[in-house]
Amino acid sequence: MKILNAAQIRQVDADTIQHKPISSINLMEQAAEACSQWLIGHFPRHPDLIFNIVCGCGNNGGDGLAIARQLRLQGFSVRVFLLAAERYAPDCHTNLRRLQALDVAIITLQDSRDLNRLQDCDGVMIDALFGSGLNRTLQGLAAELIDAVNQFKLPTVSIDLPSGLSCEQENNITADTVIRADYTLCLEIPKLPLLLPENQEYSGEMVLLPIGLLPDAVARQSSELFYTDLHDIQQIYRPRRRFSHKGSFGHALIIAGSYGKIGAAVLATQACLRAGASLVSVESPKCGYPILQSAVPEAMAIINHGETVLSGCSSHYRTYRAVGIGPGIGQDPLTKYYLLQLLHQMDKPMVLDADALNLLSQDPAAQQLIPPHSILTPHPKEWQRWIGQWQDDQHKLQLSRTFAQQRKLYVVLKGAYTAIFCPDGTIHFNSSGNPGMASGGSGDVLTGVLTALLAQGYSPKQSAILGVYLHGYAGDLAAQALSQEGMIAGDLIRYLPLAFRELPATHFC
């Protein structure tokens, strides 16, 4: 799914209106209907429920006015606060006239004194002031209104984008000039600011709502930013053929663990098996052998020369279709030597995580040994050691994209909406996953999943996108069954098979 800027979204709207065909006012009605239905489903009807809808003078305000009318016709109590303007957008004006025909309180806000009329607000606040078309920092009455809305601390829902945020994220925002939403009802096309950590306090939970935009109109827009959803994953996933056998899905090697951290090796190996690799071997120090033999009997255990840490190196690594290294290996100098010797031997993409990344972070020469198109899986603090401190999230995106392009590597920057930076310059934000996955061992599981997909013949790009989505989806299934608070990394492995089962097997041979 493409992420578009404000100008592209306007063009998609125009193309939809022209070629579907549909009038602009009816397209707005569809968008409002999608929002209204979500609001009705999310907020149970009761006598004290009031929807307070704050509207601007543009199309976002028109959405809000249409939502107010639709909610009122459904029998809900509605109150509208309309920001005064010399001129309203045509569709906004049309929806204002339609609303005036109903029994709805419409309070016009002309100056700061009128903000006192918001004092008795309770219920739910709906922000329909500016939306994705905003390209300036808010000042004056608009800024004061946003600050007043935030002061109420009511459940707040923004339409398309919290007012005060720019779709291009280029305006200098301050905390008191952006709506703090609990939910943002994003109209069909994801907006980049909603996917960035620094805006979490404003955007709340993003909800994508289809509004009937023409798919061909979206397809005609070029973008290097994507939001991975189930439809995208269905285009990547390859169901197994009838006459597949044990050799069909590759032999993967997991290199992980050190004294006190053999659990990381267990998690990565179990995940690699559950993610579909035909054969999995695991190399760890000698202290890990009895644990791995009992905890992961399906895997073949390889005993490293080191007693408690990885050391030395052998020459058998090229026989594996995919190699993943890093979980729990520690940062002993012997382990760094081992890692460097491994990199000298590798001639195919591999997965590097955790301490493998930490060992290489301060050694630019060693970084050059990483095979092209390998997958790095840092969390933000680990990634800062590679590319330095960033000024803000936009700067982080720029630095990470440049790194991936110049080094010809895939960077999986873990977090909410995990971002995958590709050598071709594209960035893919992941839609699955939840905060319950922020626990020890979750990254080890991801390493195993990615290594398994590489072993099965998926390309590095496909492996990164599919693996991150499956990892997050397993987390969503685990949270649904166990709660976000109660789930642990091992639960991700247990729910991986169910995540695969949700992917449609379109054919069997």
Side-chain angles (χ1 to χ4, degrees), residues 339-367:
L339 175 59
L340 294 179
Q341 297 307 306
L342 171 67
L343 292 177
H344 275 293
Q345 294 186 43
M346 291 300 296
D347 59 357
K348 58 176 69 96
M350 56 189 300
V351 180
L352 294 99
D353 179 40
D355 283 327
L357 298 175
N358 291 327
L359 287 168
L360 297 174
S361 62
Q362 303 302 321
D363 193 340
Q367 294 173 19

PDB file of all heavy atoms in Angstrom, residues 339-367:
ATOM      1  N   LEU A 339      33.328 -13.613  14.380  1.00  0.00           N
ATOM      2  CA  LEU A 339      32.410 -12.958  13.454  1.00  0.00           C
ATOM      3  C   LEU A 339      33.141 -12.469  12.214  1.00  0.00           C
ATOM      4  O   LEU A 339      32.653 -12.630  11.084  1.00  0.00           O
ATOM      5  CB  LEU A 339      31.709 -11.791  14.162  1.00  0.00           C
ATOM      6  CG  LEU A 339      30.790 -10.918  13.319  1.00  0.00           C
ATOM      7  CD1 LEU A 339      29.662 -11.731  12.707  1.00  0.00           C
ATOM      8  CD2 LEU A 339      30.223  -9.777  14.160  1.00  0.00           C
ATOM      9  N   LEU A 340      34.314 -11.892  12.394  1.00  0.00           N
ATOM     10  CA  LEU A 340      35.066 -11.389  11.240  1.00  0.00           C
ATOM     11  C   LEU A 340      35.473 -12.530  10.313  1.00  0.00           C
ATOM     12  O   LEU A 340      35.418 -12.396   9.080  1.00  0.00           O
ATOM     13  CB  LEU A 340      36.299 -10.624  11.718  1.00  0.00           C
ATOM     14  CG  LEU A 340      36.028  -9.322  12.483  1.00  0.00           C
ATOM     15  CD1 LEU A 340      37.330  -8.671  12.933  1.00  0.00           C
ATOM     16  CD2 LEU A 340      35.221  -8.351  11.632  1.00  0.00           C
ATOM     17  N   GLN A 341      35.895 -13.652  10.894  1.00  0.00           N
ATOM     18  CA  GLN A 341      36.265 -14.792  10.061  1.00  0.00           C
ATOM     19  C   GLN A 341      35.050 -15.328   9.294  1.00  0.00           C
ATOM     20  O   GLN A 341      35.161 -15.723   8.134  1.00  0.00           O
ATOM     21  CB  GLN A 341      36.868 -15.899  10.936  1.00  0.00           C
ATOM     22  CG  GLN A 341      38.159 -15.507  11.632  1.00  0.00           C
ATOM     23  CD  GLN A 341      39.191 -14.964  10.665  1.00  0.00           C
ATOM     24  OE1 GLN A 341      39.535 -15.605   9.666  1.00  0.00           O
ATOM     25  NE2 GLN A 341      39.677 -13.759  10.931  1.00  0.00           N
ATOM     26  N   LEU A 342      33.909 -15.317   9.957  1.00  0.00           N
ATOM     27  CA  LEU A 342      32.679 -15.753   9.282  1.00  0.00           C
ATOM     28  C   LEU A 342      32.359 -14.844   8.102  1.00  0.00           C
ATOM     29  O   LEU A 342      32.036 -15.313   7.003  1.00  0.00           O
ATOM     30  CB  LEU A 342      31.524 -15.755  10.279  1.00  0.00           C
ATOM     31  CG  LEU A 342      30.113 -15.976   9.706  1.00  0.00           C
ATOM     32  CD1 LEU A 342      29.978 -17.387   9.148  1.00  0.00           C
ATOM     33  CD2 LEU A 342      29.058 -15.727  10.771  1.00  0.00           C
ATOM     34  N   LEU A 343      32.450 -13.535   8.308  1.00  0.00           N
ATOM     35  CA  LEU A 343      32.128 -12.588   7.241  1.00  0.00           C
ATOM     36  C   LEU A 343      33.085 -12.731   6.063  1.00  0.00           C
ATOM     37  O   LEU A 343      32.687 -12.543   4.898  1.00  0.00           O
ATOM     38  CB  LEU A 343      32.162 -11.160   7.790  1.00  0.00           C
ATOM     39  CG  LEU A 343      31.060 -10.804   8.798  1.00  0.00           C
ATOM     40  CD1 LEU A 343      31.247  -9.388   9.329  1.00  0.00           C
ATOM     41  CD2 LEU A 343      29.676 -10.953   8.179  1.00  0.00           C
ATOM     42  N   HIS A 344      34.332 -13.062   6.323  1.00  0.00           N
ATOM     43  CA  HIS A 344      35.285 -13.281   5.233  1.00  0.00           C
ATOM     44  C   HIS A 344      34.867 -14.452   4.360  1.00  0.00           C
ATOM     45  O   HIS A 344      35.163 -14.478   3.159  1.00  0.00           O
ATOM     46  CB  HIS A 344      36.687 -13.532   5.811  1.00  0.00           C
ATOM     47  CG  HIS A 344      37.460 -12.284   6.114  1.00  0.00           C
ATOM     48  ND1 HIS A 344      37.908 -11.413   5.138  1.00  0.00           N
ATOM     49  CD2 HIS A 344      37.862 -11.754   7.307  1.00  0.00           C
ATOM     50  CE1 HIS A 344      38.563 -10.406   5.702  1.00  0.00           C
ATOM     51  NE2 HIS A 344      38.538 -10.581   7.013  1.00  0.00           N
ATOM     52  N   GLN A 345      34.175 -15.423   4.951  1.00  0.00           N
ATOM     53  CA  GLN A 345      33.778 -16.610   4.202  1.00  0.00           C
ATOM     54  C   GLN A 345      32.457 -16.455   3.463  1.00  0.00           C
ATOM     55  O   GLN A 345      32.242 -17.098   2.436  1.00  0.00           O
ATOM     56  CB  GLN A 345      33.638 -17.800   5.156  1.00  0.00           C
ATOM     57  CG  GLN A 345      34.924 -18.256   5.797  1.00  0.00           C
ATOM     58  CD  GLN A 345      34.693 -19.523   6.591  1.00  0.00           C
ATOM     59  OE1 GLN A 345      34.003 -20.432   6.137  1.00  0.00           O
ATOM     60  NE2 GLN A 345      35.267 -19.590   7.788  1.00  0.00           N
ATOM     61  N   MET A 346      31.559 -15.641   3.996  1.00  0.00           N
ATOM     62  CA  MET A 346      30.196 -15.594   3.476  1.00  0.00           C
ATOM     63  C   MET A 346      30.128 -14.905   2.125  1.00  0.00           C
ATOM     64  O   MET A 346      30.709 -13.828   1.932  1.00  0.00           O
ATOM     65  CB  MET A 346      29.273 -14.894   4.465  1.00  0.00           C
ATOM     66  CG  MET A 346      29.021 -15.679   5.741  1.00  0.00           C
ATOM     67  SD  MET A 346      28.248 -17.288   5.424  1.00  0.00           S
ATOM     68  CE  MET A 346      26.676 -16.770   4.723  1.00  0.00           C
ATOM     69  N   ASP A 347      29.424 -15.507   1.196  1.00  0.00           N
ATOM     70  CA  ASP A 347      29.255 -14.932  -0.132  1.00  0.00           C
ATOM     71  C   ASP A 347      27.791 -14.826  -0.525  1.00  0.00           C
ATOM     72  O   ASP A 347      27.460 -14.667  -1.689  1.00  0.00           O
ATOM     73  CB  ASP A 347      30.012 -15.761  -1.176  1.00  0.00           C
ATOM     74  CG  ASP A 347      29.533 -17.218  -1.217  1.00  0.00           C
ATOM     75  OD1 ASP A 347      28.666 -17.587  -0.396  1.00  0.00           O
ATOM     76  OD2 ASP A 347      30.025 -17.972  -2.072  1.00  0.00           O
ATOM     77  N   LYS A 348      26.892 -14.935   0.473  1.00  0.00           N
ATOM     78  CA  LYS A 348      25.463 -14.803   0.200  1.00  0.00           C
ATOM     79  C   LYS A 348      24.826 -13.987   1.318  1.00  0.00           C
ATOM     80  O   LYS A 348      25.387 -13.880   2.424  1.00  0.00           O
ATOM     81  CB  LYS A 348      24.796 -16.183   0.078  1.00  0.00           C
ATOM     82  CG  LYS A 348      24.952 -17.066   1.292  1.00  0.00           C
ATOM     83  CD  LYS A 348      24.166 -18.356   1.110  1.00  0.00           C
ATOM     84  CE  LYS A 348      24.776 -19.241   0.059  1.00  0.00           C
ATOM     85  NZ  LYS A 348      25.663 -20.274   0.565  1.00  0.00           N
ATOM     86  N   PRO A 349      23.672 -13.379   1.065  1.00  0.00           N
ATOM     87  CA  PRO A 349      23.027 -12.552   2.094  1.00  0.00           C
ATOM     88  C   PRO A 349      22.770 -13.345   3.372  1.00  0.00           C
ATOM     89  O   PRO A 349      22.446 -14.530   3.336  1.00  0.00           O
ATOM     90  CB  PRO A 349      21.710 -12.130   1.432  1.00  0.00           C
ATOM     91  CG  PRO A 349      21.983 -12.202  -0.027  1.00  0.00           C
ATOM     92  CD  PRO A 349      22.913 -13.363  -0.199  1.00  0.00           C
ATOM     93  N   MET A 350      22.923 -12.678   4.511  1.00  0.00           N
ATOM     94  CA  MET A 350      22.711 -13.295   5.800  1.00  0.00           C
ATOM     95  C   MET A 350      21.926 -12.339   6.692  1.00  0.00           C
ATOM     96  O   MET A 350      21.610 -11.213   6.283  1.00  0.00           O
ATOM     97  CB  MET A 350      24.050 -13.665   6.440  1.00  0.00           C
ATOM     98  CG  MET A 350      25.002 -12.498   6.583  1.00  0.00           C
ATOM     99  SD  MET A 350      26.682 -12.977   7.090  1.00  0.00           S
ATOM    100  CE  MET A 350      26.382 -13.773   8.661  1.00  0.00           C
ATOM    101  N   VAL A 351      21.596 -12.767   7.899  1.00  0.00           N
ATOM    102  CA  VAL A 351      20.864 -11.951   8.860  1.00  0.00           C
ATOM    103  C   VAL A 351      21.784 -11.646  10.027  1.00  0.00           C
ATOM    104  O   VAL A 351      22.381 -12.569  10.610  1.00  0.00           O
ATOM    105  CB  VAL A 351      19.596 -12.674   9.366  1.00  0.00           C
ATOM    106  CG1 VAL A 351      18.845 -11.798  10.364  1.00  0.00           C
ATOM    107  CG2 VAL A 351      18.689 -13.053   8.196  1.00  0.00           C
ATOM    108  N   LEU A 352      21.918 -10.368  10.378  1.00  0.00           N
ATOM    109  CA  LEU A 352      22.745  -9.953  11.506  1.00  0.00           C
ATOM    110  C   LEU A 352      21.893  -9.193  12.510  1.00  0.00           C
ATOM    111  O   LEU A 352      21.205  -8.234  12.137  1.00  0.00           O
ATOM    112  CB  LEU A 352      23.915  -9.078  11.049  1.00  0.00           C
ATOM    113  CG  LEU A 352      24.953  -9.766  10.170  1.00  0.00           C
ATOM    114  CD1 LEU A 352      24.692  -9.438   8.702  1.00  0.00           C
ATOM    115  CD2 LEU A 352      26.358  -9.350  10.554  1.00  0.00           C
ATOM    116  N   ASP A 353      21.979  -9.615  13.768  1.00  0.00           N
ATOM    117  CA  ASP A 353      21.127  -9.046  14.816  1.00  0.00           C
ATOM    118  C   ASP A 353      21.944  -8.830  16.081  1.00  0.00           C
ATOM    119  O   ASP A 353      23.037  -9.376  16.245  1.00  0.00           O
ATOM    120  CB  ASP A 353      19.963 -10.009  15.098  1.00  0.00           C
ATOM    121  CG  ASP A 353      19.021  -9.510  16.194  1.00  0.00           C
ATOM    122  OD1 ASP A 353      18.752  -8.293  16.215  1.00  0.00           O
ATOM    123  OD2 ASP A 353      18.566 -10.322  17.005  1.00  0.00           O
ATOM    124  N   ALA A 354      21.410  -8.031  16.983  1.00  0.00           N
ATOM    125  CA  ALA A 354      21.855  -7.921  18.370  1.00  0.00           C
ATOM    126  C   ALA A 354      23.363  -7.691  18.474  1.00  0.00           C
ATOM    127  O   ALA A 354      23.885  -6.729  17.916  1.00  0.00           O
ATOM    128  CB  ALA A 354      21.416  -9.172  19.138  1.00  0.00           C
ATOM    129  N   ASP A 355      24.080  -8.599  19.194  1.00  0.00           N
ATOM    130  CA  ASP A 355      25.499  -8.367  19.448  1.00  0.00           C
ATOM    131  C   ASP A 355      26.353  -8.446  18.195  1.00  0.00           C
ATOM    132  O   ASP A 355      27.463  -7.900  18.162  1.00  0.00           O
ATOM    133  CB  ASP A 355      26.013  -9.351  20.499  1.00  0.00           C
ATOM    134  CG  ASP A 355      25.592  -8.953  21.909  1.00  0.00           C
ATOM    135  OD1 ASP A 355      25.502  -7.734  22.165  1.00  0.00           O
ATOM    136  OD2 ASP A 355      25.345  -9.838  22.744  1.00  0.00           O
ATOM    137  N   ALA A 356      25.888  -9.112  17.153  1.00  0.00           N
ATOM    138  CA  ALA A 356      26.622  -9.059  15.880  1.00  0.00           C
ATOM    139  C   ALA A 356      26.683  -7.621  15.377  1.00  0.00           C
ATOM    140  O   ALA A 356      27.714  -7.163  14.874  1.00  0.00           O
ATOM    141  CB  ALA A 356      25.960  -9.967  14.853  1.00  0.00           C
ATOM    142  N   LEU A 357      25.576  -6.901  15.539  1.00  0.00           N
ATOM    143  CA  LEU A 357      25.547  -5.492  15.140  1.00  0.00           C
ATOM    144  C   LEU A 357      26.382  -4.645  16.089  1.00  0.00           C
ATOM    145  O   LEU A 357      27.098  -3.730  15.657  1.00  0.00           O
ATOM    146  CB  LEU A 357      24.103  -4.990  15.113  1.00  0.00           C
ATOM    147  CG  LEU A 357      23.166  -5.680  14.121  1.00  0.00           C
ATOM    148  CD1 LEU A 357      21.743  -5.173  14.292  1.00  0.00           C
ATOM    149  CD2 LEU A 357      23.641  -5.453  12.697  1.00  0.00           C
ATOM    150  N   ASN A 358      26.306  -4.935  17.385  1.00  0.00           N
ATOM    151  CA  ASN A 358      27.089  -4.161  18.345  1.00  0.00           C
ATOM    152  C   ASN A 358      28.583  -4.348  18.121  1.00  0.00           C
ATOM    153  O   ASN A 358      29.367  -3.401  18.234  1.00  0.00           O
ATOM    154  CB  ASN A 358      26.717  -4.575  19.771  1.00  0.00           C
ATOM    155  CG  ASN A 358      25.304  -4.153  20.141  1.00  0.00           C
ATOM    156  OD1 ASN A 358      24.821  -3.123  19.686  1.00  0.00           O
ATOM    157  ND2 ASN A 358      24.630  -4.957  20.943  1.00  0.00           N
ATOM    158  N   LEU A 359      29.015  -5.551  17.802  1.00  0.00           N
ATOM    159  CA  LEU A 359      30.433  -5.810  17.565  1.00  0.00           C
ATOM    160  C   LEU A 359      30.944  -5.072  16.338  1.00  0.00           C
ATOM    161  O   LEU A 359      32.116  -4.669  16.277  1.00  0.00           O
ATOM    162  CB  LEU A 359      30.668  -7.313  17.394  1.00  0.00           C
ATOM    163  CG  LEU A 359      30.568  -8.153  18.676  1.00  0.00           C
ATOM    164  CD1 LEU A 359      30.520  -9.633  18.331  1.00  0.00           C
ATOM    165  CD2 LEU A 359      31.749  -7.857  19.602  1.00  0.00           C
ATOM    166  N   LEU A 360      30.086  -4.882  15.348  1.00  0.00           N
ATOM    167  CA  LEU A 360      30.504  -4.222  14.109  1.00  0.00           C
ATOM    168  C   LEU A 360      30.273  -2.724  14.113  1.00  0.00           C
ATOM    169  O   LEU A 360      30.759  -2.017  13.221  1.00  0.00           O
ATOM    170  CB  LEU A 360      29.746  -4.838  12.931  1.00  0.00           C
ATOM    171  CG  LEU A 360      29.997  -6.325  12.650  1.00  0.00           C
ATOM    172  CD1 LEU A 360      29.070  -6.823  11.556  1.00  0.00           C
ATOM    173  CD2 LEU A 360      31.449  -6.564  12.267  1.00  0.00           C
ATOM    174  N   SER A 361      29.540  -2.214  15.096  1.00  0.00           N
ATOM    175  CA  SER A 361      29.087  -0.824  15.050  1.00  0.00           C
ATOM    176  C   SER A 361      30.233   0.182  15.034  1.00  0.00           C
ATOM    177  O   SER A 361      30.113   1.237  14.402  1.00  0.00           O
ATOM    178  CB  SER A 361      28.154  -0.533  16.234  1.00  0.00           C
ATOM    179  OG  SER A 361      28.846  -0.699  17.465  1.00  0.00           O
ATOM    180  N   GLN A 362      31.329  -0.117  15.698  1.00  0.00           N
ATOM    181  CA  GLN A 362      32.447   0.831  15.774  1.00  0.00           C
ATOM    182  C   GLN A 362      33.610   0.431  14.873  1.00  0.00           C
ATOM    183  O   GLN A 362      34.739   0.904  15.066  1.00  0.00           O
ATOM    184  CB  GLN A 362      32.926   0.934  17.235  1.00  0.00           C
ATOM    185  CG  GLN A 362      31.864   1.352  18.225  1.00  0.00           C
ATOM    186  CD  GLN A 362      31.247   2.698  17.877  1.00  0.00           C
ATOM    187  OE1 GLN A 362      31.947   3.625  17.428  1.00  0.00           O
ATOM    188  NE2 GLN A 362      29.934   2.817  18.071  1.00  0.00           N
ATOM    189  N   ASP A 363      33.340  -0.416  13.904  1.00  0.00           N
ATOM    190  CA  ASP A 363      34.407  -0.918  13.030  1.00  0.00           C
ATOM    191  C   ASP A 363      33.981  -0.804  11.566  1.00  0.00           C
ATOM    192  O   ASP A 363      33.519  -1.775  10.969  1.00  0.00           O
ATOM    193  CB  ASP A 363      34.720  -2.378  13.390  1.00  0.00           C
ATOM    194  CG  ASP A 363      36.012  -2.874  12.754  1.00  0.00           C
ATOM    195  OD1 ASP A 363      36.470  -2.258  11.768  1.00  0.00           O
ATOM    196  OD2 ASP A 363      36.553  -3.888  13.234  1.00  0.00           O
ATOM    197  N   PRO A 364      34.126   0.380  10.971  1.00  0.00           N
ATOM    198  CA  PRO A 364      33.687   0.574   9.577  1.00  0.00           C
ATOM    199  C   PRO A 364      34.325  -0.404   8.598  1.00  0.00           C
ATOM    200  O   PRO A 364      33.686  -0.836   7.634  1.00  0.00           O
ATOM    201  CB  PRO A 364      34.101   2.014   9.274  1.00  0.00           C
ATOM    202  CG  PRO A 364      34.150   2.681  10.620  1.00  0.00           C
ATOM    203  CD  PRO A 364      34.631   1.627  11.563  1.00  0.00           C
ATOM    204  N   ALA A 365      35.591  -0.757   8.825  1.00  0.00           N
ATOM    205  CA  ALA A 365      36.247  -1.690   7.915  1.00  0.00           C
ATOM    206  C   ALA A 365      35.569  -3.054   7.962  1.00  0.00           C
ATOM    207  O   ALA A 365      35.360  -3.705   6.932  1.00  0.00           O
ATOM    208  CB  ALA A 365      37.728  -1.817   8.277  1.00  0.00           C
ATOM    209  N   ALA A 366      35.208  -3.488   9.169  1.00  0.00           N
ATOM    210  CA  ALA A 366      34.530  -4.778   9.301  1.00  0.00           C
ATOM    211  C   ALA A 366      33.143  -4.741   8.669  1.00  0.00           C
ATOM    212  O   ALA A 366      32.676  -5.745   8.111  1.00  0.00           O
ATOM    213  CB  ALA A 366      34.438  -5.168  10.774  1.00  0.00           C
ATOM    214  N   GLN A 367      32.485  -3.608   8.745  1.00  0.00           N
ATOM    215  CA  GLN A 367      31.157  -3.487   8.147  1.00  0.00           C
ATOM    216  C   GLN A 367      31.192  -3.737   6.647  1.00  0.00           C
ATOM    217  O   GLN A 367      30.221  -4.240   6.062  1.00  0.00           O
ATOM    218  CB  GLN A 367      30.577  -2.108   8.439  1.00  0.00           C
ATOM    219  CG  GLN A 367      30.279  -1.850   9.907  1.00  0.00           C
ATOM    220  CD  GLN A 367      29.878  -0.414  10.166  1.00  0.00           C
ATOM    221  OE1 GLN A 367      29.485   0.310   9.251  1.00  0.00           O
ATOM    222  NE2 GLN A 367      29.972   0.016  11.418  1.00  0.00           N
TER     223      GLN A 367
END
